[in-house]
C-alpha cells in the first residue's frame, strides 16, 4: 500500500491540512526542502522587522530607557509565559535565560541540593553529550560529593536506588527520535525518592508535554530548534512550584536576586522561579525568540502533533515502499506514540548520502557513525516535501550518486 502513495496523494494531504497556511509565516528558500528544523528552525517572517525595530526605535532612540519604556526587563518573563502552555507548565514555573547547557548546570546543582543526602545523578549513556558533559563538570566541581551513573536505556530502572538524587533524561532522543514515557519514568524516579530533570530540546514545539500533570520536578529546553528562535537563541528552564522555596541556583547572579536594584551586599533569591535567572537578558536575541515562540503558540500543540505524526508516518511508509532495496534501515520507532518529530535512517554511506541529498536540495543532517536524520517540523513542512525528499533519496541511492569523494569531505558542523 505504501508504495502506492503518489505525489498527487501527498498534494491532496496538503490541501486538507488545517495548518498548511502557517508555512507562509516563515522565511524558507524557494526550492529547498528543509528537514532540519530539529537542529535550527527557520526565521519567522516578522523577525527581521521586529529585531530591526528593537534596534532602531527602542535601543537606538531610547538607549537605557528601553528597559522600562519598552518593557525589556519583562521580555524574558513574557516569553516564558508563552512557552509554559506548550510544555504543560503553569505561569510562574518557567524562565527564559542562558543556554540549555547552562540551565542544565543550574538545575542539576539545584537538584543535588534538594536531595543533599543522595550523591548520584542517573542518566543514560546515549543522552545528548552536552547533558553528560555538564553533569561531569558539576561532579568534578563538587569534588567527590556527587557522581554520575550512566546506564543503557534498558537498565534505567535498575540504575535507580536510594542513592539517586536526580534522574536526568532527554525526552526525545537526538539520534533515534525515540521518545521516553515521561509519566512512567517520572513516577519510577519519584517512587525511589529521586527528582527528575527532563531535557525538552527535541520536544518543545514538536510534541505535547505535560510537565505539571506528570509531576515533573525540573526541565530545560532549547529555543532555536522547534521554537524557531534563531541560532543560539536563549533557552528555557522549568521548576515545579512546590520546589521554588528550597530551590537554589549555583549561578546566583543579580537578575535572580529578590531586589536587584537595591544593590545589596548579600544575595537573597527572588521569591519564585525567577531565582533561576543569572545575568542581564539578551534583548535582541529575545526579540527574535518571541517571534519564534509566537509562530508555534499560534498553532497549538494538538494540531502540531497530529500533523507531525502524519508527516513521519508518510515518510516511513514511503521509505519502506520506495527505498527498500538499497540497504536503508529505519532506526526510529515505528509506533508513532514512541516517536518524536524526527525519523532517522541508517546507511553505511550515511554521511555521503546526506551530502548528496543536501546537494539535491533536501536538507537533513548526519549523526555519527551512520545516521541520516530528518526532522519534520509540522509548522512548515508539507506532505509533498516528504514525498519529494524520499524520491530524491531513492534516486541518489539507485544511481549511487552519493558515492563520490566530494561527498565524503567532513565539515566542522555536521
Ligand atoms: C540541542 C540540544 C542541546 C543544546 O544545548 P546548547 O546549550 O544550546 O548548545 C542540549 N541538549 C539537547 C538534548 C539538545 O538536543
Amino acid at each position: 500500500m505504501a508504495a502506492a502513495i503518489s505525489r498527487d496523494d501527498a498534494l491532496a494531504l496538503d490541501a486538507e491540512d488545517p495548518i498548511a497556511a502557517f508555512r507562509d509565516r516563515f522565511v524558507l528558500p524557494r526550492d529547498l526542502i528543509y528537514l532540519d528544523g530539529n537542529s535550527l528552525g527557520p526565521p519567522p517572517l516578522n523577525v527581521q522587522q521586529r529585531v530591526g525595530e528593537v534596534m532602531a526605535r527602542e535601543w537606538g532612540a531610547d538607549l537605557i530607557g528601553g528597559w522600562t519604556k519598552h518593557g525589556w526587563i519583562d521580555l524574558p518573563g513574557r516569553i516564558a509565559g508563552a512557552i509554559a502552555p506548550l510544555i504543560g507548565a503553569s505561569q510562574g514555573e518557567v524562565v527564559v535565560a542562558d543556554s540549555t547547557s547552562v540551565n542544565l548546570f543550574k538545575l542539576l546543582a539545584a537538584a543535588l541540593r534538594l536531595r543533599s543526602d543522595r550523591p548520584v545523578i542517573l542518566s543514560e549513556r546515549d543522552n545528548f553529550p552536552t547533558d553528560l558533559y555538564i553533569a561531569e563538570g558539576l561532579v568534578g566541581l563538587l569534588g567527590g560529593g556527587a557522581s554520575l551513573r550512566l546506564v543503557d536505556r534498558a537498565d534505567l530502572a535498575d540504575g535507580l536506588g536510594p542513592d539517586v538524587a536526580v534522574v536526568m533524561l532527554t525526552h526525545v532522543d537526538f539520534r533515534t527520535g525515540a521518545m521516553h514515557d515521561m509519566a512512567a519514568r517520572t513516577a519510577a524516579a519519584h517512587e525511589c525518592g529521586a527528582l527528575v530533570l527532563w531535557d525538552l530540546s527535541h520536544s518543545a514545539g514538536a510534541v505535547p508535554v505535560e510537565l505539571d500533570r506528570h509531576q515533573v520536578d525540573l526541565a530545560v529546553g532549547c529555543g532555536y530548534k522547534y521554537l524557531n528562535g534563531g541560532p543560539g537563541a536563549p533557552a528555557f528552564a522549568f521548576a515545579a512550584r512546590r520546589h521554588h522555596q528550597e530551590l537554589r541556583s549555583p549561578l546566583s547572579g543579580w537578575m535572580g536576586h529578590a531586589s536587584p536594584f537595591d544593590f545589596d551586599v548579600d544575595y537573597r533569591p527572588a521569591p519564585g522561579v525567577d531565582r533561576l535567572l543569572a545575568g542581564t537578558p539578551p534583548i535582541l536575541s529575545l526579540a527574535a525568540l518571541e517571534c519564534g515562540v509566537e509562530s508555534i503558540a499560534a498553532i497549538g500543540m494538538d494540531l502540531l502533533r497530529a500533523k507531525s505524526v502524519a508527516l513521519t508516518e508518510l515518510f516511513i511508509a514511503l521509505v519502506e515502499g520506495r527505498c527498500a532495496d538499497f540497504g536503508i534501515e529505519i532506526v526510529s520507532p515505528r509506533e508513532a506514540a514512541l516517536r518524536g518529530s524526527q525519523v532517522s535512517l541508517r546507511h553505511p554511506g550515511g554521511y555521503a548520502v546526506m551530502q548528496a541529498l543536501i546537494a539535491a536540495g533536501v536538507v537533513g543532517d548526519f549523526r555519527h557513525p551512520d545516521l541520516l536524520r530528518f526532522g519534520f517540523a509540522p509548522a512548515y513542512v508539507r506532505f509533498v516535501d516528504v514525498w519529494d525528499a524520499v524520491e530524491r533519496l531513492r534516486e541518489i541511492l539507485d544511481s549511487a550518486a552519493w558515492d563520490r569523494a566530494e561527498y565524503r569531505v567532513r565539515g566542522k558542523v555536521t
Side-chain angles (χ1 to χ4, degrees):
M1 190 191 93
I5 301 169
S6 69
R7 191 169 192 275
D8 282 343
D9 294 336
L11 287 168
L13 289 171
D14 285 320
E16 292 162 12
D17 172 13
I19 65 172
F22 285 94
R23 175 180 169 86
D24 296 338
R25 298 200 188 180
F26 295 91
V27 180
L28 287 161
R30 199 184 260 285
D31 299 330
L32 187 79
I33 298 178
Y34 192 62
L35 303 180
D36 212 4
N38 51 322
S39 280
L40 177 64
L45 205 57
N46 60 342
V47 75
Q48 189 170 0
Q49 190 198 350
R50 176 77 191 115
V51 174
E53 267 172 23
V54 174
M55 290 185 65
R57 284 208 247 140
E58 299 185 8
W59 181 22
D62 295 304
L63 296 160
I64 191 79
W67 287 105
T68 41
K69 182 165 178 196
H70 300 293
W72 293 347
I73 199 69
D74 299 320
L75 185 52
R78 201 159 78 213
I79 302 171
I83 291 175
L86 301 178
I87 56 174
S90 50
Q91 296 298 311
E93 290 186 315
V94 180
V95 293
V96 167
D98 304 316
S99 63
T100 306
S101 300
V102 171
N103 287 331
L104 274 163
F105 180 83
K106 293 188 287 193
L107 287 186
L108 272 181
L112 289 174
R113 283 185 67 145
L114 287 170
R115 290 287 180 274
S116 56
D117 52 335
R118 294 165 171 238
V120 174
I121 299 167
L122 174 65
S123 192
E124 62 179 313
R125 225 180 292 282
D126 283 342
N127 201 344
F128 192 83
T130 203
D131 301 49
L132 302 181
Y133 303 159
I134 289 288
E136 231 181 274
L138 177 62
V139 164
L141 181 69
L142 295 176
S147 64
L148 176 61
R149 179 179 300 157
L150 292 183
V151 297
D152 291 334
R153 178 167 295 205
D155 301 325
L156 274 168
D158 293 338
L160 276 170
D163 55 353
V164 176
V166 56
V167 181
M168 173 185 73
L169 295 172
T170 296
H171 183 217
V172 175
D173 185 274
F174 78 105
R175 288 190 187 88
T176 65
M179 185 158 64
H180 277 291
D181 181 340
M182 184 179 282
R185 294 271 184 226
T186 301
H190 287 170
E191 231 160 79
C192 94
L195 301 170
V196 285
L197 196 180
W198 286 102
D199 187 331
L200 305 177
S201 290
H202 287 278
S203 310
V207 298
V209 175
E210 299 282 353
L211 294 181
D212 281 342
R213 188 154 80 84
H214 300 318
Q215 305 256 309
V216 168
D217 302 286
L218 305 164
V220 297
C222 185
Y224 53 79
K225 293 172 178 161
Y226 294 103
L227 294 180
N228 310 311
F236 65 86
F238 159 92
R241 199 176 308 279
R242 63 185 177 281
H243 294 306
H244 289 180
Q245 187 76 27
E246 300 300 319
L247 198 72
R248 291 290 178 280
S249 170
L251 302 182
S252 45
W254 69 318
M255 286 297 139
H257 192 279
S259 188
F261 288 92
D262 284 358
F263 297 100
D264 283 347
V265 172
D266 299 318
Y267 180 76
R268 269 184 300 118
V273 75
D274 283 353
R275 60 183 53 192
L276 290 176
L277 300 174
T280 304
I283 296 304
L284 296 177
S285 300
L286 287 165
L289 175 62
E290 186 170 41
C291 297
V293 171
E294 281 169 356
S295 73
I296 290 305
I299 308 173
M301 287 315 307
D302 290 343
L303 285 171
L304 286 163
R305 175 61 176 169
K307 182 172 174 194
S308 156
V309 168
L311 289 167
T312 54
E313 294 276 285
L314 177 65
F315 182 77
I316 290 172
L318 287 168
V319 168
E320 280 181 332
R322 303 175 73 80
C323 303
D325 300 335
F326 306 115
I328 282 269
E329 179 194 341
I330 295 168
V331 175
S332 301
R334 301 297 176 96
E335 199 181 322
L338 304 180
R339 192 171 68 227
S341 205
Q342 79 179 62
V343 177
S344 300
L345 308 179
R346 180 173 286 132
H347 186 275
Y351 184 80
V353 172
M354 183 52 77
Q355 295 313 302
L357 260 177
I358 293 170
V362 179
V363 177
D365 61 19
F366 169 79
R367 285 297 174 262
H368 185 77
D370 54 7
L371 292 185
L372 298 146
R373 267 195 336 176
F374 299 91
F376 297 92
Y380 49 83
V381 173
R382 296 170 298 197
F383 291 96
V384 73
D385 295 330
V386 174
W387 202 94
D388 288 343
V390 175
E391 182 55 15
R392 284 185 214 172
L393 175 64
R394 191 195 63 74
E395 285 165 10
I396 285 165
L397 294 170
D398 190 33
S399 62
W402 60 271
D403 197 9
R404 286 164 44 176
E406 67 193 87
Y407 293 142
R408 285 191 282 270
V409 180
R410 300 279 172 125
K412 203 168 175 181
V413 176
T414 63

